[in-house]
Amino acid sequence: AKGKGQAPAKVNISAALVEDIINLEETNEDMKAVIEALKEDFSRNLGVRTSPGALDHIIVVTKDGKFPLNQLGQIALKSPQLLTVNMTSFPESTAVAAKAIRESGMNLNPEVDGAIIRVPIPKVTREHRESLAKLAKQSTNKSKEALRKVRSRSVNQVKKFKSKVSEDTIWLLEKQIQQMADSAAAEMDKLLAAKTKELLG
């Protein structure tokens, strides 16, 4: 058992055979998509720095349908403590836009002044940072759950071919899928560590 500690030799399963069983590229894409969604969630919902983009994704329900806030009004950062939304293009939607901001879960209390919505930005307290860090951990756990689903789906796909291909082939593919999942989970842990550091300093 001389080779125990060494990296396992790459065994060449013929690519054509693998493609008949499972599209690993697709599995990889699915795992990457889970990581991207987590990054997006972090940057969109868990930032302490205010940017005009912080309100972009708020969906406003108007009588003509649902629209992102940034399509209805011009969002500007007047100062670190104040965002404004200029609704002069769609003044009739000012009230519903203010309501959407208030109900966004971002702890904001907009004030309407004609067609301008002023959104004071609360000072970020230590508690707020800590609660954001908790949310970041919850989001990461949810993403890992999604990742496990991708992995299980792929492994189950491989297992369907048990009777058609050698056990070694099945084992190697399962191992490869597991390695992809491990590396995606490690990437998520890195994102979480960076986010926690940014929030808690």
Side-chain angles (χ1 to χ4, degrees):
K2 189 169 89 251
K4 267 254 162 75
Q6 295 164 356
K10 274 265 181 258
V11 179
N12 290 322
I13 317 177
S14 94
L17 174 65
V18 172
E19 269 163 24
D20 284 342
I21 301 175
I22 187 166
N23 183 339
L24 285 176
E25 193 44 51
E26 212 169 88
T27 302
N28 197 25
E29 289 304 314
D30 288 349
M31 289 185 179
K32 280 203 179 121
V34 176
I35 295 174
E36 286 309 312
L38 181 65
K39 278 187 189 162
E40 170 78 1
D41 182 43
F42 277 5
S43 67
R44 181 178 270 191
N45 301 323
L46 298 173
V48 281
R49 283 184 210 83
T50 337
S51 67
L55 304 179
D56 283 359
H57 67 287
I58 292 177
I59 298 294
V60 182
V61 183
T62 71
K63 57 180 188 309
D64 300 318
K66 296 178 174 183
F67 299 95
L69 182 61
N70 60 351
Q71 281 182 19
L72 298 174
Q74 284 173 309
I75 304 170
L77 187 60
K78 290 297 182 200
S79 76
Q81 251 51 68
L82 181 69
L83 280 166
T84 60
V85 186
N86 184 333
M87 297 291 292
T88 33
S89 310
F90 297 95
E92 70 285 357
S93 297
T94 308
V96 282
K99 178 173 185 272
I101 297 168
R102 188 170 298 115
E103 291 170 1
S104 65
M106 291 169 69
N107 190 21
L108 299 171
N109 200 4
E111 301 153 5
V112 177
D113 181 4
I116 304 287
I117 304 171
R118 305 154 81 80
V119 188
I121 304 299
K123 269 244 179 285
V124 181
T125 60
R126 184 73 197 171
E127 283 92 3
H128 184 54
R129 286 172 182 273
E130 282 167 4
S131 75
L132 286 176
K134 274 200 193 100
L135 285 174
K137 182 135 182 58
Q138 284 169 11
S139 291
T140 307
N141 288 340
K142 272 199 197 121
S143 296
K144 284 187 175 172
E145 194 54 51
L147 182 66
R148 281 194 285 274
K149 283 191 182 132
V150 174
R151 191 202 67 202
S152 307
R153 204 168 58 224
S154 303
V155 168
N156 289 338
Q157 172 67 22
V158 169
K159 283 187 170 148
K160 284 184 193 156
F161 287 80
K162 267 207 159 124
S163 55
K164 300 193 178 98
V165 295
S166 74
E167 260 176 47
D168 282 358
T169 305
I170 299 284
W171 182 82
L172 282 165
L173 283 170
E174 286 183 10
K175 199 172 162 75
Q176 218 169 333
I177 292 165
Q178 185 59 50
Q179 280 170 348
M180 286 155 72
D182 289 346
S183 123
E187 173 85 7
M188 288 178 184
D189 286 335
K190 270 196 207 133
L191 288 172
L192 176 61
K195 190 58 169 179
T196 307
K197 188 163 185 269
E198 174 199 319
L199 291 168
L200 302 178

